[in-house]
């Protein structure tokens, strides 16, 4: 007679140590960071060491002393000057070391300045970029020989910051990392690089990667680059994540860092295009055809491109970790035996890699196929050898088919119920994104709903043998690893890492239970520990990236359902043994479990329906433009939101009722109208933020204008103007050739948009071969206020003169709040409004809104 089984409560208490300790240990592994150091040298060995204090000092100077380093501003130019001084200091230090020691070491510096253009398609939008006199500061460290300079590894970070942010983490932190790595390398006794290291401090990434394009296409030493390490930040907390690795050699190089943190899963997600983001890595791949590693700090990305991207909000240890990992990569790649010389050509990696249980695992797709196939076949052999179908007359495979149906139903239920909860909160209760203010609150909301779905599905399926479901689950897990890897997807490893421990404990189960057809609780404990650990290791960075991301993907994006699907699908991988366990205690216990989880889910829905999505450290992004239309002489205020949280219409109406009327001193409601605006390719007011503007939900508020006001932007010879020079019509060939000249003193990030059939232009050699909408964005160094486009247009019967209707817009260099607060008197009407608006919205919404306030000038002209 078999021993009586424990009931569900006693069984769960037995499993509790695993259910608590596995997630705890996974979270601890995820959040571990090194102790930040302040000293420049190790007090024991006296050797130079990475100093987080020094790195953060650089980041603080750039982000707070210089400030908002938007391309084209005076602050952007100041950062350029500062960076030249830092590079010169590195060179002097290098020369002093060589003079004192005679080491084979040479440090060369360049301040590259240049103009160019490139196509930059993003989010299914075609866009052209042009830039004037932008800069890079380049430092090359080598052994001084031609052979030592022949092959180089490039390290890249950008000096500039984006429009609404001081950019302490993004990207002043990596700038400081690179500077400190150079100090340590140069001052390390006897260190000399076999292969050169090129440090690229590029000064225009946020304007859509102009400076990295400039280096890749125009710098004299660009052709020596064999691999790239790109350092970025989209957050302020945690270890930097390796999210792009484009060759096996560079993945192997990464394995030498002291604290690796990267997975093929993250690599597959980013390369799929699901995350609508990009880095300079794109330019190096496209124009230098090189391999490399793309790494970024991603934790707490609520502060990404926000005002609070300050040094005080960078987690201690973040800089130390990034710098020590980068230093290890540079030492390995510059040394004898480095793969750098072999990377003149490279192939995309067919490599599985992941950090797991404190180790970094690497193996080829071929090895993966062998391992996963062997596991799958072993699973089949084991099941066919040991499984006994409890149904009278049933076969092995009829039993497995029934078990597989239960497992698949469990997966469907696990996905369905959280998505139903998401639908209820967003569309029925009007409380979407109530989980936003904490990445892990989404797990609290949707994990119980996922468990409810799993239990409910099994209740509907009806009684099935626990052992049947257990073995069917194992078969599905091993077959998933086998089939997904067969398709060439390295993320099949997530199924393998779940299946392997379950298979091992299934082999050992008779030792625990005394029977091959009885599943012991110890089997559940040991079989669930590793999948739960691995699932939490996988889930934590995914929610840390995707939850904050929903604050900037647009109102139409199904943010609630996206997060519900992420939590439930990874949750299913984390707790695979829930499905067989549901059949352990009989139908009555299962019904009680369904009722209990229904109550828990209902309570959580009620709690989250009362929560506000945003707080002072997890803010709503509000985009505000003050637009002066120099064609119509109208002025307007434009409000935009990039999230699907409810209440933006209420915010817009409150702005009008509680702020604009008082600010304008108007009692005429008709003169201050609030109008919703549909965003499309012809909404040129937001072109300076294109293509991100495609995500925005917009309201327009017409502002009263003083009849005595004379716009400074129409002053002859000093205004914002679009004109045609070298204008020639060829009626025989049916073409019009011209140079479109854009003069924009005092304006940055100017954009022109027009409809035409372009036969030829100087932007690239491949304009669309049809009549189409074209948009060209500019970025220029401070004080550069003219740019041009050479065009050849096709004439047609509807427009025989080839007239060109051009929409144009630009940002006022001195009218961006709070970046230009120090010179607010020079910002005109826009800055007067912004100062009062910013103070009002801070009071009205108690710091839960981060407003990007931009003064714009635009219009339309026929050329």
């Amino acid at each position: 007679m078999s021993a009586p089984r424990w009931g569900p409560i006693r069984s769960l208490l037995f499993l509790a140590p695993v259910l608590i300790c596995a997630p705890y240990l996974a979270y601890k592994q995820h959040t571990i960071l090194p102790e930040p150091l302040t000293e420049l040298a190790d007090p024991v060995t006296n050797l130079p060491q990475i100093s987080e204090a020094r790195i953060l000092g650089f980041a603080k100077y750039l982000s707070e002393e210089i400030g908002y380093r938007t391309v084209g501003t005076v602050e952007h130019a100041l950062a350029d000057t500062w960076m030249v001084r830092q590079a010169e200091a590195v060179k002097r230090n290098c020369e002093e070391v060589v003079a004192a020691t005679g080491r084979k070491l040479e440090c060369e510096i360049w301040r590259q300045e240049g103009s160019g253009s490139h196509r930059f398609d993003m989010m299914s939008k075609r866009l052209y970029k042009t830039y004037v006199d932008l800069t890079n500061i380049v430092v090359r460290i080598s052994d001084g020989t031609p052979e030592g300079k022949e092959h180089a590894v490039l390290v890249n970070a950008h000096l500039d910051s984006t429009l609404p942010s001081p950019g302490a983490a993004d990207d002043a932190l990596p700038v400081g990392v690179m500077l400190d790595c150079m100090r340590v390398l140069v001052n390390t006794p006897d260190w000399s690089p076999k292969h050169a290291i090129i440090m690229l401090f590029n000064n225009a990434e946020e304007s859509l990667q102009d400076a990295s394009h400039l280096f890749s296409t125009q710098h004299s030493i660009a052709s020596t680059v064999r691999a790239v390490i790109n350092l970025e930040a989209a957050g302020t907390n945690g270890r930097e994540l390796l999210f792009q690795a484009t060759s096996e050699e560079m993945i192997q190089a990464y394995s030498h860092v002291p604290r690796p943190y990267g997975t093929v899963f993250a690599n597959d997600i980013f390369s799929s295009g699901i995350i609508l983001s990009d880095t300079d890595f794109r330019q190096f791949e496209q124009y230098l055809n090189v391999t490399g590693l793309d790494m970024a700090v991603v934790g707490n990305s609520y502060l990404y491109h926000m005002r609070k991207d300050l040094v005080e909000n960078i987690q201690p240890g973040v800089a130390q970790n990034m710098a020590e990992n980068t230093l290890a990569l540079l030492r390995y790649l510059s040394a004898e035996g480095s793969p750098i010389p072999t990377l003149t050509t490279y192939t995309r990696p067919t490599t599985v890699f992941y950090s797991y249980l404190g180790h970094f695992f690497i193996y080829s797709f071929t090895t993966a196929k062998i391992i996963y196939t062997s596991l799958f076949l072993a699973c089949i052999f084991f099941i066919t050898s040991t499984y006994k179908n409890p149904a009278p007359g049933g076969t092995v495979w009829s039993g497995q088919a029934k078990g597989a149906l239960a497992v698949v139903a469990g997966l469907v239920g696990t996905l369905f119920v959280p998505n139903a909860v998401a639908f209820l909160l967003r569309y029925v209760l009007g409380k979407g994104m109530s989980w936003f203010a904490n990445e892990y609150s989404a797990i609290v909301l949707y994990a119980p709903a996922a468990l409810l779905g799993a239990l409910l599905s099994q209740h509907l399926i009806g009684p099935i043998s626990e052992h049947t479901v257990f073995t069917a689950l194992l078969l599905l897990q091993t077959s998933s690893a086998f089939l997904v890897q067969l398709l060439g997807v390295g993320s099949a490893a997530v199924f393998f890492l779940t299946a392997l421990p379950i298979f091992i404990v299934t082999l050992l189960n008779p030792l625990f239970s005394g029977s091959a057809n009885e599943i012991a609780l110890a089997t559940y404990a040991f079989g669930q520990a590793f999948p739960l650990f691995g699932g939490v290791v996988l889930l934590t960075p995914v929610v840390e990236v995707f939850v904050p991301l929903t604050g900037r993907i647009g109102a139409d994006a199904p943010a609630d359902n996206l997060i519900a699907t992420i939590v439930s699908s990874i949750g299913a991988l984390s707790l695979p043994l829930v499905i067989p366990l549901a059949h352990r205690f009989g139908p009555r216990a299962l019904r009680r479990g369904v009722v209990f989880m229904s109550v828990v889910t209902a309570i959580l829905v009620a709690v989250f329906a009362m929560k506000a999505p945003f707080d002072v450290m997890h803010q709503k992004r509000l985009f505000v433009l003050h637009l002066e239309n120099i064609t119509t002489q109208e002025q307007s205020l434009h409000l935009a939101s990039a999230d699907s949280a409810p209440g933006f219409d209420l915010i817009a109406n409150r702005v009008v009722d509680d702020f604009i009327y008082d600010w304008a001193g108007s009692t005429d409601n008709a003169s201050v109208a609030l109008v919703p605006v549909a965003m499309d390719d012809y909404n040129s007011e937001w072109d300076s933020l294109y293509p991100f503007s495609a995500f925005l939900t917009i309201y327009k508020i017409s502002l009263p204008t003083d009849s005595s006001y004379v716009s400074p932007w129409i002053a002859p010879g000093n205004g914002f103007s679009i004109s045609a020079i070298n204008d020639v019509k060829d009626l025989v060939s049916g073409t019009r050739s011209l140079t479109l000249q854009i003069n924009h003193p005092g304006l940055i990030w100017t954009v022109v948009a027009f409809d035409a059939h372009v036969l030829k232009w100087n932007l690239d050699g491949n304009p669309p071969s049809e009549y189409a909408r074209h948009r060209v964005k500019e970025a220029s160094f401070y004080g550069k206020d003219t740019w041009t486009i050479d065009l050849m247009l096709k004439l047609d019967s509807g427009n025989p003169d080839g007239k060109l209707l051009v929409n144009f817009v630009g940002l006022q260099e001195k009218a961006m709040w709070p970046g230009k607060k120090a010179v607010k008197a020079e910002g005109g009407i826009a800055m007067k409004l912004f100062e009062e608006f910013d103070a009002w919205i801070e009071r009205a919404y108690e710091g839960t809104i981060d407003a990007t306030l931009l003064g714009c000038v635009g219009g339309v002209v026929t050329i």
Side-chain angles (χ1 to χ4, degrees):
M1 229 177 129
S2 61
R5 286 190 171 190
W6 288 350
I9 295 177
R10 196 174 179 185
S11 298
L12 288 174
L13 288 174
F14 176 82
L15 296 173
V18 169
L19 299 177
I20 294 170
C21 291
Y24 173 77
L25 293 173
Y27 181 75
K28 289 292 289 184
Q29 177 182 306
H30 173 70
T31 56
I32 191 169
L33 283 168
E35 187 71 24
L37 302 178
T38 57
E39 298 86 356
L40 301 185
D42 186 309
V44 177
T45 65
N46 205 34
L47 293 174
Q49 65 181 6
I50 293 294
S51 168
E52 177 164 304
R54 185 171 186 263
I55 294 168
L56 294 182
F58 291 134
K60 190 176 182 69
Y61 186 86
L62 283 169
S63 60
E64 297 177 38
E65 296 298 320
I66 293 179
Y68 292 62
R69 305 172 307 285
T70 307
V71 174
T73 62
V74 65
E75 291 82 5
H76 177 249
L78 290 173
D80 176 83
T81 301
W82 175 86
M83 191 64 244
V84 169
R85 290 200 302 269
Q86 301 307 312
E88 290 171 343
V90 170
K91 184 178 181 181
R92 285 195 300 273
N93 181 35
C94 187
E95 291 170 346
E96 290 168 1
V97 166
V98 171
T101 66
R103 278 164 53 193
K104 293 182 65 176
L105 195 63
E106 182 182 25
C107 298
E108 304 163 89
I109 64 173
W110 293 263
R111 180 184 181 273
Q112 181 190 18
E113 181 177 306
S115 306
S117 61
H118 57 111
R119 180 170 169 172
F120 193 94
D121 291 0
M122 193 173 185
M123 301 187 304
S124 302
K125 301 290 185 181
R126 180 174 51 84
L127 174 66
Y128 288 90
K129 283 302 317 296
T130 186
Y131 54 89
V132 179
D133 289 352
L134 291 183
T135 62
N136 289 307
I137 290 82
V138 184
V139 180
R140 179 168 66 185
I141 304 175
S142 70
D143 64 4
T145 68
E147 295 77 16
K149 299 176 183 180
E150 184 180 1
H151 307 288
V153 57
L154 173 72
V155 190
N156 176 74
H158 62 91
L159 283 163
D160 63 308
S161 65
T162 195
L163 290 167
S165 175
D170 180 22
D171 204 32
L173 171 67
V175 167
V177 164
M178 289 167 58
L179 283 168
D180 211 45
C181 283
M182 286 196 291
R183 175 188 63 83
V184 171
L185 290 172
V186 168
N187 289 289
T188 297
D190 301 325
W191 179 82
S192 180
K194 175 69 175 178
H195 307 291
I197 298 170
I198 299 172
M199 297 286 193
L200 172 59
F201 299 89
N202 95 64
N203 207 10
E205 190 268 352
E206 301 290 4
S207 60
L208 302 182
Q209 302 164 19
D210 295 318
S212 53
H213 176 270
L214 170 65
F215 175 84
S216 300
T217 58
Q218 299 183 38
H219 202 285
S220 59
I221 65 172
S223 61
T224 67
V225 174
R226 302 290 175 257
V228 174
I229 300 169
N230 190 57
L231 302 179
E232 264 287 3
T236 61
N237 288 8
R239 295 175 290 168
E240 74 281 357
L241 174 68
L242 172 64
F243 61 95
Q244 283 196 96
T246 59
S247 70
E248 183 175 350
E249 292 88 347
M250 290 302 287
I251 296 170
Q252 289 286 352
Y254 183 73
S255 69
H256 291 80
V257 306
R259 286 171 292 276
Y261 178 46
T263 68
V264 68
F265 184 72
N267 199 71
D268 287 346
I269 287 179
F270 193 85
S271 61
S272 72
I274 293 173
I275 299 178
L276 298 175
S277 184
D278 215 339
T279 71
D280 284 314
F281 197 81
R282 167 179 175 170
Q283 303 298 318
F284 303 130
E285 274 197 306
Q286 183 173 347
Y287 295 100
L288 294 179
N289 190 31
V290 294
T291 179
L293 306 172
D294 207 355
M295 303 185 293
V297 177
V298 297
N300 192 32
S301 65
Y302 294 101
L303 306 188
Y304 175 59
H305 288 184
M306 302 281 267
R307 296 188 198 184
K308 286 187 168 71
D309 183 5
L310 299 166
V311 166
E312 66 190 49
N313 293 321
I314 297 175
Q315 184 182 13
V318 168
Q320 193 76 33
N321 192 80
M322 176 180 268
E324 289 180 357
N325 281 350
T326 303
L327 181 64
L329 278 168
L330 294 178
R331 281 177 166 155
Y332 174 78
L333 290 170
S334 64
E336 186 80 41
S338 164
I340 286 295
T342 69
L343 293 174
T344 50
T345 60
Y346 74 98
T347 56
R348 304 292 295 187
T350 52
T351 309
V352 180
F353 62 95
Y354 47 84
S355 305
Y356 189 67
L357 296 173
H359 298 279
F360 190 68
F361 294 87
I362 309 174
Y363 49 90
S364 69
F365 278 14
T366 301
T367 301
K369 288 176 183 176
I370 294 171
I371 295 172
Y372 304 168
T373 302
S374 300
L375 182 62
F376 179 45
L377 295 176
C379 178
I380 293 174
F381 176 77
F382 175 79
I383 291 173
T384 54
S385 301
T386 63
Y387 176 77
K388 294 180 181 179
N389 193 330
T395 66
V396 170
W397 297 114
S398 65
Q400 292 304 301
K402 191 173 182 180
L405 177 63
V407 174
V408 172
L411 178 59
V412 172
T414 299
L415 295 171
F416 176 78
V417 175
N419 274 279
V421 168
F423 182 88
L424 174 68
L425 280 168
R426 177 171 179 176
Y427 296 104
V428 178
L429 301 178
K431 294 294 182 177
M433 290 184 64
S434 55
W435 35 262
F436 180 80
N438 186 300
E439 303 101 316
Y440 305 117
S441 66
I443 301 174
V444 174
L445 173 62
Y446 292 123
L451 183 56
L452 170 60
L455 297 180
L456 182 60
S457 69
Q458 301 313 292
H459 174 66
L460 297 175
I461 285 289
I464 305 178
S465 161
E466 174 193 13
H467 182 254
T468 298
V469 180
F470 197 101
T471 53
L473 171 70
L474 176 59
L475 189 63
L476 286 174
Q477 291 281 3
T478 55
S479 64
S480 295
F482 165 68
L483 292 173
V484 174
Q485 188 60 61
L486 209 60
L487 296 173
V489 180
S491 292
V494 299
F495 298 106
F496 168 71
L497 292 174
T498 300
L500 181 61
I502 296 176
F503 178 71
I504 293 172
V505 298
T506 304
L507 294 178
L508 299 174
N509 177 65
L511 299 177
F512 303 138
S513 67
S515 169
N517 293 311
E518 293 286 333
I519 306 297
L521 270 180
T523 300
Y524 280 103
F526 291 118
Q528 186 56 75
F530 290 102
L532 183 54
F533 176 89
V536 173
V537 166
L538 180 63
L539 181 60
T540 43
V542 172
V543 295
E544 284 180 353
V545 169
F546 277 92
V547 169
L549 181 66
T550 59
R552 54 185 190 272
I553 60 174
D556 294 333
D560 295 85
N561 292 95
L562 172 66
I563 298 302
T565 300
I566 287 172
V567 171
S568 56
S569 58
I570 300 180
L573 282 169
S574 306
L575 291 166
L577 299 185
V578 165
I579 303 301
L581 188 66
H583 293 276
R584 184 178 183 86
F585 309 107
R588 185 181 179 189
L590 182 55
R591 284 195 300 271
R592 288 179 175 178
V594 169
V595 172
F596 176 76
M597 292 312 304
S598 296
V599 172
V600 171
T601 300
I603 291 172
L604 287 169
V605 168
V607 169
F608 275 83
M610 294 185 288
K611 286 173 61 68
F614 308 105
D615 61 31
V616 294
M617 290 304 292
H618 311 86
Q619 297 167 295
K620 180 182 182 67
R621 297 167 189 257
L622 183 68
F623 300 87
V624 183
L625 298 185
H626 177 277
L627 178 68
E628 182 176 338
N629 188 313
I630 59 176
T631 303
T632 64
Q633 305 303 310
E634 296 173 334
Q635 295 186 23
S636 53
L637 192 69
H638 299 249
L639 308 177
S641 171
D643 62 69
S644 62
F648 177 51
D649 56 336
L650 300 178
I651 294 173
N653 278 285
R654 189 175 177 186
V655 168
V656 173
D657 295 340
D658 295 355
F659 175 75
I660 293 295
Y661 287 153
D662 290 341
W663 180 83
S666 172
T667 58
D668 179 9
N669 291 1
S671 68
V672 187
L674 178 69
V675 180
V677 178
M679 175 54 72
D680 57 35
D681 282 346
Y682 290 87
N683 192 329
S684 293
E685 290 92 342
W686 290 89
D687 273 355
S688 290
L689 299 185
Y690 188 88
F692 172 73
S693 55
F695 286 136
L696 300 179
T697 301
I698 300 169
Y699 284 95
K700 177 180 178 180
I701 305 169
S702 299
L703 298 177
T705 305
D706 188 335
S707 58
S708 63
Y709 173 75
V710 177
S711 174
W713 306 106
I714 58 174
N718 198 40
F720 192 3
S721 64
I722 316 295
S723 59
I725 58 176
N726 305 321
D727 193 356
V728 177
K729 294 187 184 70
D730 187 336
L731 299 180
V732 175
S733 62
T735 62
R736 179 190 180 191
S737 300
L738 72 153
T739 296
L740 200 64
Q741 181 170 282
I742 299 92
N743 295 305
H744 56 99
L747 299 171
I748 63 173
W749 291 36
T750 55
V751 188
V752 295
F754 54 89
D755 294 300
H757 185 165
V758 177
L759 299 174
K760 187 186 298 184
W761 56 14
N762 64 337
L763 300 175
D764 69 3
N766 188 34
S769 58
E770 60 185 354
Y771 188 85
R773 182 73 169 172
H774 305 283
R775 189 175 276 99
V776 186
K777 295 186 68 173
E778 161 270 343
S780 301
F781 200 75
Y782 178 68
K784 306 299 180 179
D785 55 16
T786 300
W787 58 284
T788 60
I789 313 171
D790 296 334
L791 298 169
M792 178 184 287
L793 309 178
K794 181 179 180 180
L795 304 179
D796 57 49
S797 57
N799 184 16
D801 294 328
K803 291 182 178 180
L804 197 63
L805 185 71
V806 181
N807 294 94
F808 57 93
V809 69
L811 304 178
Q812 296 181 47
E813 193 270 334
K814 289 184 169 59
M816 295 183 286
W817 187 277
K820 290 292 183 174
K821 187 187 296 187
V823 291
K824 62 185 180 182
E826 302 175 42
I829 295 173
M831 286 296 272
K832 292 177 182 178
L833 185 152
F834 291 161
E835 183 175 19
E836 295 182 33
F837 181 89
D838 195 48
W840 173 82
I841 206 162
E842 178 72 19
R843 292 192 307 271
Y845 290 92
E846 299 179 332
T848 61
I849 291 178
D850 183 289
T852 298
L853 304 162
L854 305 171
C856 298
V857 180
V860 60
V861 64
T862 300
I863 303 295

